[in-house]
């Protein structure tokens, strides 16, 4: 419906139309949830404003601190505007060491690698569980579901020993491969594939298509939203993963951003403005991704978080 | 899961191909069977989940050391030691304490946020951004920002308290307070996830329920209690269990912010496993503690399955 609308009218008009619809919807919701009077609305707005302020404040304070000199950062009384003026020196000295850029690239390699492999491996497995029959299918599916319960933190010790034994410690592979096992994602994708009507694939089967063709040209094209949701969710977790990369990587050149940042800081001692600059640099890529894909991220958390319900 | 799929390609006749099904070469049948699709997953599952799990189980029965040496079977001695080790009980207690004081606000605040945002007040984009954005931050950022806010002498929080004429609090240095500071940090960081789960659930409550109630003359407050909250009961069950599981696994923010201090007041059981294994080099013993912990996690997970099943049955 919305696609035909977008095709028919210029983009600006379509957007205005969407905004108008959303406003209309909100007005209806307000009437249903808050009633007609102004009092609940004012109270609701006050509560939202207060909570949003509390939630944004830590970030705002950290951001401001990162633009101060060290003496200004700890000057009392605290002030949002430093006496010596704002400065970029914290960022400059952070980037001058060169490690941050390196860690960002590492994080990107790891997160993209984990996401690509997880989506492919999980989608194939989900197809097998959803659309094919073979001996042991049920047992294997239940083994997959049971694995959802096992917390990955539990396996750090044996997994580390294993990586050392396989000569994989301190490599990208050691960081990436264990994160590719995502039984939840297999489960979510299988549930989605189950709902794709069989009639759609039967036509392809008539033309002699095998399972690979059916997967590629029938199932996958219809599963784009769920694939995107899974990919986004996996990417976020991989980018922010701390414990496993922290344990398996000791070479500073291979560290990811979340692991490297606290590491460099303990080397500096307590330098608050510098700490905040590093924190902001570590946060920037995800904040940017969120700004660009807000709608998709929100819906991906909602779908994958509840197990695709 | 319910019904077996009626058609498989391996067994399906292929009307347009010249050869009858029996003549399909073995290689092609294998390539087109479910096993071929499952193979990559089975490989990573076996290598990076099943194998470490079994290996860990075996380690827990030995006195293996991280620096080599040991490795002899000691039977259940590690488990016996863990059950009588006061540090294990203390850290398990810390984990449970953190789980309780973090889960309650993480569920309740998320619900309140979702209800308010879903009420259609203007500024939706801003509210969603403020509440959810922290969830996307890497733990290093979260931990460092809150360490700075909680800093004793120049920290924002204590300076605000001073402005109100109140004395400063040793947020991360007072053993009685430190776990609460970790919980506050965690609530700020992850409440957005539960908030979105609630928001999604609210969006699926059909409008006609509210419209019918409005016609019956039910006020906004009674609509909340008689329609919205009952409709959210299933979601709340799931959110609570997911949150319990997530809180029980707490490690990262504590490791960076306090490293278990002061006086082990914030050491969760997973940090103890880490200390025993990687600092104390006793990985056999560490594995035994983690399997005791797994038993608890499995119990909570089974509760989740039970919730989900009951919710399905209700539909």
């Amino acid at each position: 419906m919305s696609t035909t609308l977008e095709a028919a009218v210029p983009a600006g008009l379509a957007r205005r139309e969407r905004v108008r619809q959303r406003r209309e919807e909100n007005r209806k919701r307000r009437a249903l949830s808050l009633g007609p009077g102004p009092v609940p609305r004012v109270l609701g707005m006050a509560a939202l404003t207060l909570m949003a302020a509390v939630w944004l404040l830590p970030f705002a304070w950290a951001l401001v601190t990162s633009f101060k000199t060290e003496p200004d950062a700890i000057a009392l009384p605290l002030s949002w505007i430093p006496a010596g003026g704002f400065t970029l020196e914290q960022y400059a000295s952070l980037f001058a060491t060169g490690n941050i850029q390196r860690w960002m690239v590492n994080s990107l390699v790891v997160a993209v690698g984990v996401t690509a492999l997880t989506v492919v491996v999980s989608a194939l497995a989900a197809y097998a569980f959803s659309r094919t029959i073979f001996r042991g299918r049920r047992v294997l599916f239940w083994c997959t579901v049971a694995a959802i319960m096992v917390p990955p933190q539990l396996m750090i010790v044996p997994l580390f020993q294993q990586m050392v034994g396989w000569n994989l410690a301190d490599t990208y592979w050691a960081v990436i491969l264990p994160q590719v096992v995502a039984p939840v994602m297999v489960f979510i994708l299988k549930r989605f594939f189950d709902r794709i009507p069989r009639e759609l694939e039967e036509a392809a089967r008539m033309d002699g298509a095998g399972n690979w063709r059916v997967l590629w040209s029938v199932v996958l094209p219809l599963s784009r939203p769920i694939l995107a949701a899974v990919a986004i969710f996996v990417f976020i977790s991989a980018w922010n993963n701390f414990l496993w990369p922290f344990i398996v990587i000791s070479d500073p050149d291979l560290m990811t951003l979340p692991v490297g940042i606290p590491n460099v800081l303990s080397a500096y001692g307590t330098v608050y403005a510098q700490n905040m600059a590093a924190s902001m640099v570590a946060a920037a890529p995800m904040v940017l991704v969120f700004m660009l894909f807000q709608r998709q991220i929100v819906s991906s958390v909602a779908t994958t978080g509840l197990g695709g319900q | 899961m319910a019904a077996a799929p009626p058609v498989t390609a391996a067994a399906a006749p292929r009307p347009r191909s010249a050869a009858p099904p029996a003549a399909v070469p073995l290689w092609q049948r294998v390539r087109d069977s479910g096993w071929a699709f499952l193979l990559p997953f089975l490989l990573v599952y076996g290598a990076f989940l099943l194998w470490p799990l079994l290996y860990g189980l075996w380690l827990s029965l030995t006195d293996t050391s991280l620096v080599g040496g040991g490795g002899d079977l000691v039977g259940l001695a590690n488990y016996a030691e863990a059950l009588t080790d006061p540090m294990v009980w203390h850290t398990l207690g810390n984990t449970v304490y953190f789980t309780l004081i973090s889960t309650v606000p993480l569920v309740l605040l998320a619900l309140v946020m979702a209800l308010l945002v879903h009420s259609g007040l203007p500024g939706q984009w801003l509210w969603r951004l403020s509440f959810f954005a922290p969830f996307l931050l890497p733990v290093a950022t979260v931990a460092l920002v809150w360490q700075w806010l909680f800093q004793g002498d120049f920290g924002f929080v204590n300076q605000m308290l001073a402005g109100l004429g109140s004395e400063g609090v040793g947020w991360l240095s007072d053993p009685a307070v430190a776990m609460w500071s970790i919980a506050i940090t965690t609530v700020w960081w992850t409440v957005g996830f539960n908030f979105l789960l609630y928001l999604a659930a609210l969006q699926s409550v059909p409008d006609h329920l509210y419209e019918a109630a409005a016609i019956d003359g039910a006020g906004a407050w009674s609509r909340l209690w008689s329609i919205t909250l009952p409709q959210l009961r299933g979601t709340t069950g799931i959110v609570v269990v997911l949150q319990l599981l997530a809180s029980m696994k707490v490690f990262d923010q504590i490791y960076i912010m306090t490293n278990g201090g002061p006086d082990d007041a914030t050491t969760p059981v997973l940090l103890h496993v880490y200390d025993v294994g990687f600092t104390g080099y006793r990985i056999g013993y560490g594995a035994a503690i983690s399997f005791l912990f797994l038993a608890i996690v499995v119990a909570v997970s089974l509760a989740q399955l039970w919730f989900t099943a009951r919710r399905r049955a209700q539909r």
Side-chain angles (χ1 to χ4, degrees), chain A residues 30 32 162 211-212 294 309, chain B residues 31-32 120 125 223 311:
Chain A
R30 275 200 294 277
L32 284 176
Q162 187 181 330
N211 275 327
W212 292 93
Q294 200 211 161
Q309 302 190 21
Chain B
R31 197 188 56 185
D32 216 50
W125 185 84
R223 280 198 295 258
R311 185 164 164 245

Side-chain angles (χ1 to χ4, degrees), chain A residues 129-203:
Chain A
F129 286 132
S130 170
R131 293 287 153 126
T132 67
I133 295 179
F134 55 90
R135 204 181 290 272
R137 188 178 68 119
R138 266 172 167 277
V139 175
L140 285 172
F141 183 65
W142 282 112
C143 287
T144 308
V145 173
I148 294 174
M149 279 190 270
V150 181
Q153 288 94 331
L154 192 84
M155 285 176 305
I156 49 170
V157 175
L159 205 51
F160 177 74
Q161 282 283 84
Q162 187 181 330
M163 289 301 173
V164 172
W166 292 0
N167 275 326
L168 280 177
D170 258 330
T171 63
Y172 283 141
W173 290 114
V175 186
I176 293 174
L177 287 175
Q179 297 189 66
V180 172
V181 193
V184 193
M185 299 305 162
V186 175
F187 180 69
I188 288 167
L189 286 168
K190 185 217 177 249
R191 287 260 298 265
F192 191 90
F193 290 174
D194 282 346
R195 278 185 238 143
I196 297 175
R198 306 229 160 235
E199 295 79 51
L200 293 175
E201 72 176 74
E202 265 150 33

Side-chain angles (χ1 to χ4, degrees), chain A residues 233-255:
Chain A
F233 201 77
V234 171
F235 185 87
I236 295 171
S237 340
W239 181 280
N240 285 343
N241 194 356
F242 175 76
L243 180 59
W244 178 242
F246 164 73
I247 281 174
V248 82
I249 295 294
S250 55
D251 178 357
D253 277 350
L254 287 173
M255 284 178 179

Side-chain angles (χ1 to χ4, degrees), chain A residues 4-23:
Chain A
T4 51
L5 206 143
E6 271 160 36
V9 295
L13 270 179
R15 201 172 67 213
R16 222 171 299 159
E17 177 61 19
R18 275 207 301 275
V19 168
R20 200 192 58 76
Q21 275 177 4
R22 215 174 303 145
R23 283 221 181 105

